[in-house]
Amino acid sequence: MMEIADFDSLRRAMAENSEEPEGPARNARAEQLLVEAEKLNVPLAVIEALGHQLKVYNYSSEKDRMFVPFARLLRMWDERPEDFDEYETHSLHWVFKWMTAGMLDQPHIPLASIEKWLGEMEHRYRLAGHSERAVRSAEFSVAGHVGDLPRAERAYTAWLAADRDRMADCHACELHGQGGWQLKNGRDEAALELWGPVLDGEYSCAHEPHTVLASSLAPLLRLGRVDEARAHHLRGFRLVRPMESMRGAYADHVEFCALTGNEARGLELLAERPAYFTDTGQPRSRMDFLAVVALLMDRLTGLGLGGQRVPGPAGRTWTAGELAGHARAEALELAARFDARNGTSYVGDQLRERMAQQPLVDRLPLGVRAVRTAPAGPLAPVAPAPAPAPEQAGQPSFPALLAEARRLSDTLRPHALEAWAAVAEAAEETEVDTYVRAEIADHTAMGRGPEGVELFERAAELYAEAGDEGEAIAARARAAYVRALSGELDEALAALDEPYDRILALYADDATGVRQTASVLMSRARILMRQVHERSTGAGDAEQAVRELLALVGGRGGSDLRLVSRAAEGRAMLAELAEHAGDGERAGELFRQATAQFVGAELPWFAVEYEVRVAALAHEQGDLAEAERALRAALEHGGPYVEPVGRAQLHLQLAEVLGGRGAAEEAAEHALEAAHWADEAGQSGTLGAWARHQLGGFLLRQGRFAEAAEVLESALADLSAETHGDGAVVQTQWWLGDCLSELGEHHAAAERRLQAAEIARHWPEQHDHATLAHLAAESLGNAGLPAEADRAYTRAGELWRAMGNVHFLVRSLRARAWLALRTEAGPEGARKLMADAVRECEAALEAVGDPAAAERLAGELGHTRRQFGDLLARSVPEDADDPAIQEAFEAALAQMTAAISVFAGLGEDGLHSRTAAELAAGWLEADLSRPAAAAARARAVLDAYEGADPADETVRARRAEARQLLEPTEE
């Protein structure tokens, strides 16, 4: 901890403390610094320490402690205003606004005292010559809080009409308040329009766009703009998470989770901030937080999860039902205190309305990992059964159940097996004939997969007993196919010989129908196809069996969907055989024919598998347009009937195809859907993690860095080298590092890049390792860790040298040279490193034979010379004497001149680089008191751009700078 010996060391200590995270530790340090300031016997030191204390209290959960230091400051101002410098005078008047808001947040402070304070603020602002804008804004807050809406409207109008001056809140904060008034009046669109400049980054401050992003969530949901709401949640929560003072905004994000079916994420948010349940420094934000806790717990209880354990106040365990009651009671008690203070019921009314909200979206996928707390509904509606007779209302009769099951089976509807299960259950209490028992056994067997052999055999016996020998043979054939599914291929083929011969004989004698015959032929074809796939033998036999099937059913389908389905599946089998033989083009055409038959028969869900096969073949052939078409068709055909894991896979494949052609925005939408359905399927840690990995990459491509970072961090929690491959882990870390770098979180970016580099270190090919080490070094430098950055650049440079990559070796040396100015190596070490970079370039240029490579190296040399000149000019110590300054500038000018020569040799490709170096040299000439030489360089730039496109931004900038360089000589 820094020792406070004088005023300067006190100021440095306060500056350092300001950079610490919000919270009690920072507040405690501010209190210690005030004690140290008092020891200095310098009034301004005490004033600044009190101001620092006020600031850290305001940006923490201990806002109620602001009043004491402010009262002391105000007393010091009244007694000796001359002790305040200009900045502290401004600060004193500025925090009057904090006091007004702070008083509103404390229900024990009487309303009369707040009104008196408003008058005091107005009086002092008038004396200081400030506009009344800040005063009217404060009055608006008071009136809005107590529910005096006419007064709030008057204050709002006066606030906007008053002149903006130094006491007005920043644009971002003002727009937040103005948008809030629109929300209070039910004008969601108007609020979002007002907030637009803050959301777009035009205006910002310490707490914006944090609070605007949070406030925008509910209106966006109400307006149905769910994609924006999702983005604002991911982006905004990332900003709010590390800031202890933002409990109110944090509550908005919990509320968002409760209103969008993301209850599990809401619980995660509560678990991150246990202190928010009990921190009493700002009662109003605690009331808001407890209200949304009650809302979330009510939602869980309504879903039948009232007994689930949930995060809550420390000291005991909580269930959702218990916490709902506790949070509601605490919130209402606080609201009652505010209403008692205000003399209205407004706060309590607003609070009860908030707690009574109903979900606005059943389930809004967020992209981050989520566990569904609501019971998943059916993926597709079951076709409605015929309306029961009046006397059967409520419970269908057995005949109705049987008729519905037969209808679903005959028309190949999804959920037919579920209908037969209902028949089987009802049959336990009803006497049924032998044929129906055969049907029940047959369809029950179909739902058991490899375990259905015995039931199929039983069904065959019952069909035979009922006198339907053809259906009995078909059931035995199905039993044989099930054996094949279990790997018993030889046994399956042997078991099918007799049924095959028998069904053909019966069919020839008109003793059975085409349906039963086709069923046996299909079972035989399926078994022979498995032999092809598993043993790579018997393709000829399989093709013969398929063609025999097609000869039977071809043209006979008509309205018999079973026969149409047999024909389509047979054509798909021929496609598989063509694919097996290496004829991908023929296979694709046959698969398309099969899907067309299914779709034409209004059985599109059967086409899904074959469209996926078409997509895979098209991808192999490089036909991405056809792959995209087929995957879109698969999603359309499958509709709601595809199982969650299948939907996840389809969306993910389509996302990858779209991403491959650069459609990152739509690719992100499909990756988001893939992550959602993977979560629904219980595959969050496997398929879901991969979908999130892809989603993060697509968001990064769009420049949506905060959203991408949230998603990628969520993916990393589940990605593993064992399941997904270490390449996926490295890529995710890499992308996350890029996001964090763009967000200014340089230390965290460096950590991610170093973690990825450590994995890549073990790969045979070292380019990724070197690149990641280089990027990590860049992040470490931006994080203010020059020594660590130098070590990382050194490591990267060694790797670049080993790979023979001169360009990046030189860049690592240049970066180290600039870092050296901030380390013990100093200017001398910096100059040595830059000289090494020049030598590496020149040596490589001498050795290279390829003209294109030589041109690229020349460009690298020119940039290195240019940077060498900049470094020499900037590394002159502030206290250097004139001869030392002149010597450094001369050396810098020599490097600039050399750079100009190199760039000139590159012709048009080096034009912009040459003019930049020429201007830099011109400024050096001016600093060396050589106006004529400076002017000559400026004119050289203007001449270089004669006839150039005036709309070119670089041309315009260079010309403007050249004219600026000419001005002194012209004067």
Side-chain angles (χ1 to χ4, degrees):
M1 187 177 294
M2 180 184 297
E3 182 180 349
I4 308 302
D6 51 32
F7 199 175
D8 287 340
S9 60
L10 174 69
R11 282 174 164 164
R12 286 195 297 272
M14 289 189 295
E16 287 180 7
N17 195 43
S18 293
E19 297 301 316
E20 292 298 311
E22 295 178 354
R26 186 170 75 157
N27 295 353
R29 177 61 174 156
E31 292 159 10
Q32 293 172 356
L33 291 173
L34 176 58
V35 173
E36 296 295 326
E38 289 168 336
K39 295 177 183 177
L40 297 177
N41 199 28
V42 177
L44 185 57
V46 175
I47 290 167
E48 290 189 12
L50 285 166
H52 174 65
Q53 194 178 79
L54 250 174
K55 181 178 179 181
V56 299
Y57 284 156
N58 185 59
Y59 293 113
S60 78
S61 61
E62 299 179 310
K63 291 178 183 284
D64 56 335
R65 303 179 69 179
M66 291 191 300
F67 304 110
V68 172
F70 182 74
R72 183 176 173 188
L73 270 173
L74 197 57
R75 186 173 64 252
M76 293 175 72
W77 168 263
D78 288 339
E79 292 173 355
R80 290 181 55 84
E82 64 271 18
D83 289 341
F84 288 69
D85 62 14
E86 182 180 357
Y87 179 81
E88 292 304 325
T89 299
H90 174 272
S91 296
L92 175 71
H93 287 80
W94 181 269
V95 295
F96 266 84
K97 299 179 295 182
W98 294 359
M99 295 303 107
T100 305
M103 289 177 179
L104 279 177
D105 292 343
Q106 306 294 330
H108 68 277
I109 297 179
L111 189 60
S113 298
I114 298 173
E115 294 286 3
K116 182 180 177 182
W117 179 256
L118 266 177
E120 178 76 7
M121 179 181 175
E122 183 171 12
H123 172 68
R124 288 180 179 266
Y125 270 41
R126 190 179 298 115
L127 285 178
H130 296 309
S131 163
E132 68 170 10
R133 188 178 182 94
V135 179
R136 298 285 78 83
S137 174
E139 181 188 5
F140 164 75
S141 298
V142 173
H145 171 66
V146 302
D148 187 346
L149 301 188
R151 181 188 179 192
E153 180 65 50
R154 292 192 300 274
Y156 181 84
T157 302
W159 167 24
L160 269 59
D163 292 335
R164 278 189 59 83
D165 67 352
R166 294 176 64 211
M167 284 299 114
D169 281 340
C170 73
H171 282 290
C173 288
E174 283 207 331
L175 288 173
H176 182 219
Q178 292 162 21
W181 178 240
Q182 302 304 318
L183 282 191
K184 196 180 289 284
N185 286 282
R187 298 189 286 265
D188 289 344
E189 288 276 13
L192 292 166
E193 186 176 349
L194 274 168
W195 291 334
V198 184
L199 295 169
D200 294 340
E202 184 179 346
Y203 301 124
S204 62
C205 67
H207 277 186
E208 296 297 355
H210 314 43
T211 56
V212 162
L213 284 165
S215 297
S216 72
L217 296 173
L220 284 170
L221 290 174
R222 288 194 292 267
L223 292 168
R225 292 159 60 176
V226 294
D227 290 338
E228 291 173 77
R230 176 197 302 112
H232 287 197
H233 170 63
L234 294 177
R235 177 182 162 203
F237 184 67
R238 187 171 192 84
L239 293 172
V240 168
R241 177 188 276 139
M243 301 182 73
E244 184 204 42
S245 62
M246 302 200 71
R247 180 163 52 185
Y250 201 99
D252 290 339
H253 286 280
V254 176
E255 177 184 55
F256 168 83
C257 293
L259 297 178
T260 58
N262 286 286
E263 298 85 5
R265 179 164 172 84
L267 294 177
E268 291 173 6
L269 268 56
L270 297 187
E272 286 190 31
R273 285 290 187 184
Y276 276 176
F277 288 98
T278 52
D279 282 344
T280 58
Q282 191 186 29
R284 183 152 59 155
S285 71
R286 180 167 179 256
M287 176 185 70
D288 291 336
F289 180 76
L290 290 169
V292 300
V293 170
L295 174 68
L296 178 62
M297 296 306 120
D298 283 347
R299 174 67 178 150
L300 288 170
T301 303
L303 294 170
L305 300 170
Q308 178 176 319
R309 286 187 60 177
V310 294
R316 56 161 289 186
T317 58
W318 296 89
T319 65
E322 292 167 344
L323 186 56
H326 170 80
R328 176 175 289 96
E330 292 274 305
L332 289 172
E333 189 274 331
L334 284 166
R337 289 168 57 194
F338 279 110
D339 283 341
R341 187 268 303 274
N342 300 338
T344 69
S345 64
Y346 188 73
V347 172
D349 293 342
Q350 296 288 303
L351 190 80
R352 280 181 280 273
E353 185 177 322
R354 187 174 196 181
M355 291 190 292
Q357 292 178 98
Q358 293 300 309
L360 297 170
V361 182
D362 174 56
R363 178 76 185 281
L364 177 62
L366 301 179
V368 293
R369 182 173 184 173
V371 178
R372 185 172 178 86
T373 46
L379 292 176
V382 177
E391 67 272 17
Q392 298 170 325
Q395 180 61 46
S397 66
F398 182 80
L401 290 171
L402 180 60
E404 175 64 4
R406 284 173 172 168
R407 185 189 70 81
L408 292 175
S409 293
D410 287 343
T411 56
L412 301 176
R413 298 295 106 178
H415 309 298
L417 293 182
E418 288 92 325
W420 279 106
V423 171
E425 183 179 353
E428 293 178 3
E429 301 177 2
T430 306
E431 186 175 343
V432 298
D433 63 34
T434 304
Y435 194 86
V436 172
R437 287 191 286 128
E439 288 181 288
I440 292 172
D442 200 5
H443 287 93
T444 303
M446 291 177 191
R448 293 193 179 177
E451 299 175 4
V453 174
E454 292 183 5
L455 266 177
F456 276 128
E457 296 288 1
R458 175 60 179 154
E461 293 171 3
L462 290 168
Y463 280 129
E465 185 180 334
D468 191 338
E469 188 175 357
E471 203 62 65
I473 294 170
R476 288 172 58 200
R478 288 191 280 275
Y481 176 56
V482 168
R483 289 186 183 279
L485 291 177
S486 302
E488 301 175 18
L489 277 172
D490 294 332
E491 295 84 346
L493 284 168
L496 198 60
D497 284 344
E498 192 272 334
Y500 171 68
D501 293 337
R502 182 65 183 147
I503 200 70
L504 291 179
L506 286 175
Y507 182 67
D509 293 339
D510 289 330
T512 192
V514 68
R515 264 199 188 191
Q516 292 78 8
T517 307
S519 180
V520 175
L521 294 184
M522 177 57 78
S523 293
R524 183 168 181 268
R526 286 172 174 171
I527 293 170
L528 289 168
M529 287 298 296
R530 289 195 71 81
Q531 182 172 258
V532 173
H533 291 311
E534 294 182 16
R535 298 179 179 176
S536 294
T537 60
D541 292 340
E543 183 173 353
Q544 183 180 349
V546 174
R547 294 198 180 280
E548 184 179 14
L549 168 69
L550 290 173
L552 174 70
V553 300
R556 291 175 179 260
S559 61
D560 191 330
L561 294 182
R562 284 185 179 275
L563 297 183
V564 173
S565 174
R566 300 296 188 206
E569 186 178 347
R571 203 160 296 281
M573 287 177 174
L574 291 179
E576 291 179 36
L577 290 168
E579 185 179 8
H580 181 76
D583 190 348
E585 189 173 337
R586 173 67 176 156
E589 180 57 34
L590 287 165
F591 278 132
R592 281 189 286 272
Q593 290 176 16
T595 63
Q597 282 184 279
F598 278 126
V599 173
E602 298 185 358
L603 301 171
W605 46 88
F606 287 112
V608 173
E609 175 187 353
Y610 304 126
E611 290 285 20
V612 171
R613 300 289 289 273
V614 170
L617 287 166
H619 208 283
E620 288 175 11
Q621 295 160 13
D623 189 351
L624 296 185
E626 173 62 6
E628 181 181 334
R629 182 211 62 77
L631 289 168
R632 289 188 189 279
L635 278 168
E636 180 184 349
H637 297 331
Y641 300 109
V642 180
E643 291 296 318
V645 66
R647 295 178 91 166
Q649 291 167 338
L650 285 173
H651 280 293
L652 187 53
Q653 290 178 54
L654 183 53
E656 291 171 350
V657 170
L658 289 166
R661 71 169 174 81
E665 186 172 348
E666 189 181 359
E669 293 172 5
H670 286 284
L672 176 67
E673 287 294 319
H676 165 67
W677 288 111
D679 290 341
E680 291 287 305
Q683 295 199 18
S684 293
T686 50
L687 183 60
W690 181 256
R692 277 180 268 281
H693 157 82
Q694 294 282 23
L695 173 59
F698 294 136
L699 291 170
L700 171 61
R701 279 201 226 172
Q702 297 173 65
R704 295 160 65 177
F705 304 116
E707 296 167 66
E710 283 290 303
V711 170
L712 292 168
E713 286 172 347
S714 180
L716 277 173
D718 292 311
L719 283 172
S720 68
E722 295 75 23
T723 303
H724 304 92
D726 56 5
V729 177
V730 167
Q731 184 65 78
T732 305
Q733 296 273 27
W734 193 328
W735 282 338
L736 181 53
D738 291 347
C739 292
L740 295 170
S741 179
E742 292 288 344
L743 294 169
E745 300 176 36
H746 299 299
H747 196 282
E751 288 181 2
R752 294 301 185 180
R753 288 167 167 175
L754 288 171
Q755 288 167 4
E758 182 58 26
I759 298 173
R761 183 170 68 88
H762 304 286
W763 293 354
E765 211 289 319
Q766 288 289 284
H767 185 272
D768 286 343
H769 179 202
T771 303
L772 285 161
H774 199 111
L775 290 171
E778 180 182 298
S779 293
L780 288 165
N782 289 331
L785 300 168
E788 292 84 346
D790 182 72
R791 286 195 292 272
Y793 274 125
T794 301
R795 176 186 178 189
E798 292 167 352
L799 292 166
W800 294 130
R801 186 185 297 280
M803 287 185 288
N805 191 323
V806 178
H807 293 274
F808 279 95
L809 168 61
V810 167
R811 291 171 195 180
S812 66
L813 287 168
R814 292 199 308 243
R816 289 181 62 204
W818 287 107
L819 284 170
L821 295 177
R822 296 155 57 190
T823 67
E824 293 180 359
E828 185 176 345
R831 287 191 290 270
K832 180 181 182 307
L833 285 164
M834 200 65 85
D836 288 345
V838 170
R839 280 194 294 274
E840 292 288 350
C841 270
E842 291 176 336
L845 261 174
E846 290 178 10
V848 74
D850 177 46
E855 188 171 313
R856 289 194 298 272
L857 280 168
E860 202 71 67
L861 176 60
H863 288 299
T864 305
R865 291 275 190 194
R866 163 74 199 275
Q867 286 197 36
F868 201 169
D870 286 337
L871 182 140
L872 289 167
R874 296 183 193 181
S875 61
V876 181
E878 291 183 4
D879 57 353
D881 55 24
D882 288 346
I885 295 173
Q886 180 159 353
E887 181 183 354
F889 281 11
E890 292 285 8
L893 184 59
Q895 292 294 337
M896 290 295 180
T897 303
I900 293 165
S901 176
V902 172
F903 289 134
L906 296 176
E908 192 66 25
D909 290 340
L911 175 61
H912 291 329
S913 297
R914 174 168 70 85
T915 55
E918 193 82 70
L919 288 167
W923 290 114
L924 284 168
E925 300 276 21
D927 288 337
L928 289 165
S929 301
R930 300 170 188 165
R937 292 190 182 276
R939 292 191 186 94
V941 171
L942 293 173
D943 291 344
Y945 287 123
E946 187 166 348
D949 180 5
D952 186 308
E953 298 239 349
T954 303
V955 173
R956 290 163 59 189
R958 294 282 195 275
R959 283 174 170 169
E961 188 176 350
R963 293 190 189 100
Q964 185 183 0
L965 185 57
L966 275 173
E967 282 177 7
T969 58
E970 291 175 346
E971 290 171 359

